[in-house]
Structures are given as structure tokens and as C-alpha cells.
């Protein structure tokens, strides 16, 4: 367990010291969200109605941009081979790396989402729910993304392929993330959609590392 | 005592068996398809409400059914590859993916053509339609991932992992019409909701399409096995030539 935390600490530290990766994802998030009113027209009522959907989609795209970072650099400099032969089971290695991705990408994006909500005239009542759903939903984004990153690690020009593989897997998260926000803004409060979103995250946290580790084992043979 | 799957694990035996089975399955598929098309387009009545467009159903429903069954077959083959290391499992999964993608595309296309006169629109973002579209993307992902990897052994296992991860979509599609109250009608079970005059052609078409798929699947599997043999022979020939060359250089 100690080496699990050490690996997590290392990945988080690397991402922070590098800086660029987190900045790129956040910058992309900002740019996509600010393009939306330009494309759809500045009608504040319309924007406020579709704000949750825009934020979620932009968040997924921004996260997608950073997925290949999970394994690629460590594969290129050989760290991944060392980790695979080390004492920590590969499943925990992938879990630590997915968790590090969530900490360094998912959480910043989730924190930034309500700030960008201002740009889209998001209803004030929806803010707590939006923060809650993005925080609860982004683990699924990182852990499902790790599967895609592990599958496409060795392919050249893996970016487009990664999107094709991962986006279908993101659809349930997206649907329940958005329906949780729109349900939460109403009088009923956070409801079944939020619980389903939490369930999706929990299932992917358990099963994602297994699938990603299985893919890495094939890649590292 | 060998089980059937163990006996079939030998590609040579599979080639013999499939060569014997293929003409029968193809013939049965062709005959049933002809009978089914006749029943569907000439012998069955037009719907009192939908008129002649109801005949799209006889293509649409079998395609939709196959789009899910083929993914199930791919998932099963992937499981067979990863757990039992069955040598034919990957051949089966690889051969089925483009076929499944084609049937899914046909289901979406015919559904959209049927939707225009019935619902007034080619496409709605309805739960059933959307989940089938995602299934189509999954098929494309499987095909793209396999073609992006050069090492065939690794490609087989990685696509198998992706197929098993994606299998969660199947229950979502199956129950989407029951869980969400949407435009798409609930699934027709063959026992009660459809009038006998339409149930028979639909049943014949469903069986015909299934046989058609299995005929194409077997043929594609045979092609894949032959392709792998040719590749193995080529590698052997090149290796042999290299060995001769190095021997010649040493002498």
C-alpha cells in the first residue's frame, strides 16, 4: 500500500511540476465553453437552459485531451516496465495512475466548471449540484479513460483512435451527469440520476484498473 | 473424451467441417430469404395504420436483432480468447466485427427511412436509437483498434478487452425501450403483439438473416484462417531464405 501512495504522489507531483498538462486541459475547457455562445448566439435564456450540457461535454473533451498522458510518457522512458516488474500488482499501478489523473485533471476541471457556469448564465440554484455531479462523475472519466489509454498506448497517432474508443464508453456518464444537474436544479433535489452517476463511478473505479492492467500486460510482453 | 469446443479448436478440423457445412447453410439462407422476401413484400397484408411502409419492418427488425446478437458473439469469442485461449476465438471475433457493423448500420438506415413517414423525422435522440448508434461506434472502435496495431497477437487480445468492456451497452439497448418512455415502440415479442399474418414473414426473415450472417461469418472465418496460413508460410519462406543467405555468407 505504501508503494501505491508513493506512485500516486510521484504522478501528482510530476503533473504539477510539469504544469503544462493541467494548464492545457483547463485552457481547452475555457476555450470550448467560450466558443459556445459565439456559435449559438448570446441569448442568455437559451444558454442557461443548455449550460449543464455544454459544461459536461466540454469537460469530457478536455479530459480526453489529457488521457494519453496517463501511460505514454512512462512507457517511452521505460518506467512502466520497471513498475510492471516491481512488487506492486499492475492493477494497483493502473489504479494509482488513474487516481493521479483524476486528482490532477478531474478535480481541477470540476472546480473550474462552476466558474465557467457564470459565462453561460447557469442558474444559481444549480451550482451546488453541478459541483457535486462533476466531482462524483469525473472518476468515471479518468478510470474509463485509463482503459482507452492502455489499449492505444503503442499505436501511432493514437489520439483519434482514443476518442473513438473512449467516447462511447463516456455516454452513460454524460447522460446521467446532465440529467442529475437538471433534476437537481428543480424542486425535487438530487435524485436517482445522481445515485446512478455515483454507481457508474464506483463500478469503473473497481473494474477500470483490471481492464487497463490486462491491456498493459499484453502491451508490455 | 473431448468436448465439441475442444474438437473444433483444431483449425484444420474446423476447415473440413465448415467446408461441409457452408453450402448447406448458404443454401438454407438463400431459400429462406427468397421465401421470406416473397411473404414480406407480396403475401402479407399492408398495415391498417402504416400502409405499405410496414414492410420495412421485415428488414429492420432482423438487422436490429443481429446487431446485438453479433456483438454478443464477439463478446463471447473475446471471453473464449482471454480465458480459454481458444485458437479460433479471435478468428471468430475478427470476422464478426465488420458484419456486425454492417447490420447495425442497416438497422439504423432502415429505421431512419421508416421513421420519416411514421414519426415525421429521420432521426430523434431517443434512447433506443441513441444506444444503437453507440453500438455502431463501438463496432467502429473495435475495427479501428485492430487495424491500428501491427502485432496480431497483441491486437487480438486488446480488441478482446475492449469488446468485453463495451458489452455493458447490450443490456442498456435491450431494456432502453422498457426503461425510458420514448418514441420507439417497445420490442415486439413474437408470441402475442404481432398479427399472425405478419408474424410468420417476420419470423422467416429473422431466421433467414441469422442464417445469412452465419454463412458469411463462416466464410469470413475461413478466409481469415487461410490468410493467416499464407502469412505464416511467407514468414517461413523469408526466414528460410535468410538462413540460407547467412549460411552462404559464412561459407
Amino acid at each position: 500500500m505504501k508503494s501505491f501512495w508513493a506512485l500516486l504522489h510521484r504522478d501528482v507531483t510530476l503533473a504539477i511540476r510539469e504544469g503544462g498538462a493541467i494548464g492545457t486541459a483547463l485552457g481547452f475547457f475555457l476555450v470550448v465553453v467560450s466558443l459556445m455562445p459565439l456559435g449559438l448566439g448570446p441569448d442568455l435564456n437559451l444558454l442557461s437552459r443548455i449550460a449543464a450540457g455544454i459544461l459536461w461535454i466540454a469537460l469530457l473533451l478536455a479530459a480526453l485531451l489529457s488521457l494519453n498522458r496517463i501511460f505514454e510518457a512512462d512507457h517511452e522512458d521505460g518506467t512502466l516496465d520497471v513498475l510492471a516488474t516491481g512488487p506492486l500488482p499492475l492493477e494497483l499501478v493502473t489504479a494509482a495512475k488513474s487516481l493521479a489523473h483524476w486528482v490532477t485533471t478531474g478535480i481541477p476541471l470540476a472546480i473550474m466548471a462552476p466558474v465557467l457556469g457564470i459565462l453561460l448564465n447557469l442558474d444559481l440554484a444549480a451550482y451546488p449540484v453541478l459541483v457535486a455531479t462533476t466531482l462524483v462523475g469525473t472518476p468515471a472519466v479518468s478510470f474509463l479513460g485509463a482503459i482507452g489509454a492502455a489499449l492505444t498506448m503503442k499505436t501511432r497517432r493514437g489520439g483519434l483512435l482514443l476518442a473513438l474508443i473512449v467516447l462511447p464508453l463516456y455516454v452513460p456518464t454524460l447522460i446521467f451527469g446532465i440529467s442529475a444537474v437538471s433534476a437537481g436544479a428543480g424542486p425535487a433535489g438530487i435524485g436517482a440520476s445522481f445515485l446512478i452517476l455515483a454507481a457508474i463511478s464506483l463500478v469503473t473505479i473497481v473494474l477500470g484498473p483490471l481492464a487497463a492492467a490486462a491491456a498493459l500486460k499484453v502491451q508490455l510482453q | 473424451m473431448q468436448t465439441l469446443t475442444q474438437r473444433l479448436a483444431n483449425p484444420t478440423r474446423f476447415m473440413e467441417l465448415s467446408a461441409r457445412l457452408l453450402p448447406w447453410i448458404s443454401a438454407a439462407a438463400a431459400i429462406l430469404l427468397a421465401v421470406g422476401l416473397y411473404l414480406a413484400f407480396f403475401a402479407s397484408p399492408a398495415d391498417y395504420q402504416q400502409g405499405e411502409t410496414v414492410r420495412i419492418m421485415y428488414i429492420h427488425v432482423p438487422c436490429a436483432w443481429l446487431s446485438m446478437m453479433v456483438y454478443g458473439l464477439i463478446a463471447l469469442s473475446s471471453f473464449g480468447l482471454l480465458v480459454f485461449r481458444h485458437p479460433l476465438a479471435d478468428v471468430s471475433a475478427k470476422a464478426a466485427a465488420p458484419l456486425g457493423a454492417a447490420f447495425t448500420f442497416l438497422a439504423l438506415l432502415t429505421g431512419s427511412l421508416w421513421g420519416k413517414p411514421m414519426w415525421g423525422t429521420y432521426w430523434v435522440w431517443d434512447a433506443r436509437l441513441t444506444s444503437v448508434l453507440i453500438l455502431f461506434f463501438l463496432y467502429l472502435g473495435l475495427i479501428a483498434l485492430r487495424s491500428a496495431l501491427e502485432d496480431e497477437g497483441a491486437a487480438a487480445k486488446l480488441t478482446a478487452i475492449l469488446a468485453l468492456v463495451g458489452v455493458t451497452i447490450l443490456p442498456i439497448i435491450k431494456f432502453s425501450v422498457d426503461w425510458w418512455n420514448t418514441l420507439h415502440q417497445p420490442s415486439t415479442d413474437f408470441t402475442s403483439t404481432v398479427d399472425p399474418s405478419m408474424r410468420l414473414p417476420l419470423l422467416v426473415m429473422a431466421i433467414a438473416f441469422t442464417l445469412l450472417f452465419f454463412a458469411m461469418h463462416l466464410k469470413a472465418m475461413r478466409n481469415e484462417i487461410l490468410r493467416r496460413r499464407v502469412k505464416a508460410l511467407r514468414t517461413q519462406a523469408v526466414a528460410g531464405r535468410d538462413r540460407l543467405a547467412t549460411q552462404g555468407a559464412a561459407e
Side-chain angles (χ1 to χ4, degrees):
Chain A
M1 225 39 220
K2 218 174 121 195
S3 43
F4 176 84
W5 294 116
L7 181 61
L8 178 64
H9 183 248
R10 165 188 173 272
D11 273 23
V12 172
T13 316
L14 269 178
I16 292 172
R17 298 250 168 91
E18 236 175 297
I22 302 175
T24 314
L26 289 177
F28 187 79
F29 194 22
L30 173 68
V31 169
V32 171
V33 169
S34 50
L35 275 180
M36 288 295 168
L38 298 176
L40 297 168
D43 177 7
L44 285 182
N45 288 327
L46 172 73
L47 286 178
S48 134
R49 200 153 45 86
I50 58 175
I54 293 179
L55 288 174
W56 259 102
I57 290 172
L59 189 149
L60 287 185
L61 293 178
L64 196 63
L65 203 65
S66 61
L67 283 180
N68 56 358
R69 205 184 71 221
I70 301 184
F71 298 114
E72 208 170 63
D74 280 348
H75 172 61
E76 273 166 10
D77 65 13
T79 316
L80 208 54
D81 295 280
V82 178
L83 286 173
T85 49
L88 194 64
L90 203 53
E91 284 78 9
L92 284 179
V93 171
T94 53
K97 291 181 103 36
S98 312
L99 196 60
H101 181 264
W102 180 61
V103 171
T104 57
T105 312
I107 292 181
L109 287 174
I111 292 173
M112 192 152 161
V115 182
L116 295 181
I118 300 171
L119 289 177
L120 299 172
N121 193 30
L122 185 69
D123 186 14
L124 265 183
Y127 276 79
V129 198
L130 179 70
V131 178
T133 48
T134 44
L135 274 179
V136 166
T138 40
V141 173
S142 292
F143 281 79
L144 283 174
I147 303 176
L151 285 172
T152 57
M153 190 175 73
K154 275 192 184 168
T155 54
R156 278 167 289 128
R157 297 189 304 279
L160 189 62
L161 185 62
L162 188 60
L164 186 61
I165 287 175
V166 170
L167 282 180
L169 303 179
Y170 278 169
V171 169
T173 316
L174 178 70
I175 290 173
F176 289 108
I178 292 170
S179 67
V181 179
S182 38
I190 291 178
S193 304
F194 186 79
L195 295 178
I196 294 178
L197 184 68
I200 292 173
S201 269
L202 289 174
V203 169
T204 52
I205 288 174
V206 175
L207 296 182
L210 298 180
L216 281 189
K217 271 176 200 156
V218 176
Q219 302 269 32
L220 293 174
Q221 265 169 10
Chain B
M1 267 302 279
Q2 282 181 315
T3 62
L4 184 67
T5 44
Q6 281 168 340
R7 282 169 51 79
L8 280 175
N10 182 344
T12 314
R13 195 173 289 139
F14 171 81
M15 290 301 270
E16 283 168 12
L17 191 67
S18 62
R20 220 174 302 155
L21 278 177
L22 196 53
W24 292 100
I25 298 181
S26 313
I31 293 168
L32 273 179
L33 202 59
V35 173
L37 282 173
Y38 172 76
L39 287 176
F41 286 106
F42 300 105
S44 75
D47 191 71
Y48 76 98
Q49 207 179 0
Q50 308 190 10
E52 299 291 332
T53 53
V54 75
R55 303 189 194 283
I56 298 175
M57 173 179 79
Y58 303 117
I59 309 285
H60 175 71
V61 172
C63 284
W65 141 248
L66 273 180
S67 71
M68 287 195 275
M69 191 204 77
V70 175
Y71 197 90
L73 181 78
I74 293 178
L76 207 65
S77 303
S78 305
F79 188 76
L81 173 78
L82 291 177
V83 176
F84 304 112
R85 309 199 180 279
H86 195 287
L88 284 174
D90 177 50
V91 175
S92 158
K94 183 177 179 184
L99 295 172
F103 281 118
T104 313
F105 178 71
L106 280 179
L108 287 168
L109 187 75
T110 52
S112 144
L113 291 177
W114 196 7
K116 183 65 184 171
M118 288 304 105
W119 299 340
T121 170
Y122 286 113
W123 184 263
V124 281
W125 290 97
D126 153 285
R128 170 59 67 88
L129 277 66
T130 313
S131 52
V132 173
L133 184 68
I134 298 165
L135 180 68
F136 182 59
F137 290 152
L138 267 176
Y139 275 119
L140 293 187
L142 284 178
I143 298 169
L145 180 65
R146 188 184 288 276
S147 63
L149 295 158
E150 276 166 26
D151 176 5
E152 267 191 50
K157 283 182 196 152
L158 292 175
T159 42
I161 293 169
L162 180 61
L164 287 182
V165 170
V167 84
T168 43
I169 187 84
L170 280 191
I172 297 181
I173 299 177
K174 177 78 186 68
F175 294 112
S176 60
V177 279
D178 305 329
W179 288 345
W180 289 284
N181 212 352
T182 52
L183 200 51
H184 195 285
Q185 61 156 352
S187 65
T188 38
D189 54 34
F190 282 106
T191 47
S192 56
T193 49
V194 185
D195 188 77
S197 64
M198 296 180 181
R199 200 193 306 158
L200 180 70
L202 187 57
L203 197 63
V204 173
M205 284 299 270
I207 298 171
F209 265 67
T210 312
L211 283 176
L212 179 70
F213 163 73
F214 277 116
M216 290 194 291
H217 187 227
L218 271 184
K219 187 71 195 159
M221 281 178 75
R222 290 172 56 80
N223 284 347
E224 178 62 21
I225 290 174
L226 289 175
R227 195 188 64 78
R228 289 187 183 183
R229 281 193 184 158
V230 168
K231 198 182 168 198
L233 285 176
R234 265 206 197 123
T235 334
Q236 243 175 17
V238 171
R241 206 188 307 143
D242 285 355
R243 203 167 47 241
L244 283 179
T246 43
Q247 273 172 2
E251 283 162 14

